Amino acid sequence: MNGLYIPMTVVHVEKSYDELTDAENKKVQYNCVAKNIITFALNLDVFFKVSQYNSAKEMWDILKVTHEGTTYVKRDWITQVIWEGGSKHQDPKVSA
């Protein structure tokens, strides 16, 4: 490149509610409703884990990983069940 190059970053500034379009306003309302549904269904311990997130999608992803586990957690669970012969632990999701 010839000449002066100044790296720039894009600054994301949240819009005020007055600046939202109708479609954006509906998305914000749907997000609030979804967050309320999720938070009212939780006990306090789990609520404090997810209450810090801004979107219902982020909350749902954390709940999914917490309760279902990652693929590594599932693999370890299956290995443990097979190793112990399945006598002590029976997970309905795991079929022998």
Side-chain angles (χ1 to χ4, degrees):
M1 276 184 152
N2 295 333
L4 182 62
Y5 174 71
I6 300 173
M8 312 230 3
T9 60
V10 177
V11 177
H12 296 284
V13 178
E14 291 184 19
K15 292 181 179 181
S16 68
Y17 287 109
D18 297 334
E19 298 173 338
L20 295 177
T21 63
D22 289 337
E24 291 171 334
N25 195 11
K26 281 188 178 185
K27 287 181 182 180
V28 169
Q29 289 176 356
Y30 289 145
N31 185 51
C32 288
V33 169
K35 284 175 61 175
N36 284 335
I37 291 170
I38 290 172
T39 54
F40 283 124
L42 302 175
N43 64 23
L44 283 177
D45 294 333
V46 180
F47 170 78
F48 287 120
K49 286 182 184 177
V50 299
S51 63
Q52 62 189 346
Y53 296 102
N54 292 329
S55 72
K57 172 73 170 123
E58 292 173 328
M59 294 170 105
W60 185 255
D61 290 341
I62 293 300
L63 288 171
K64 189 174 173 183
V65 169
T66 301
H67 292 285
E68 290 182 8
T70 61
T71 55
Y72 299 111
V73 172
K74 291 177 187 177
R75 188 179 314 139
D76 288 344
W77 173 258
I78 292 170
T79 304
Q80 180 182 4
V81 169
I82 292 171
W83 183 260
E84 293 179 1
S87 61
K88 293 182 183 177
H89 304 290
Q90 286 294 333
D91 186 7
K93 296 178 187 174
V94 178
S95 59

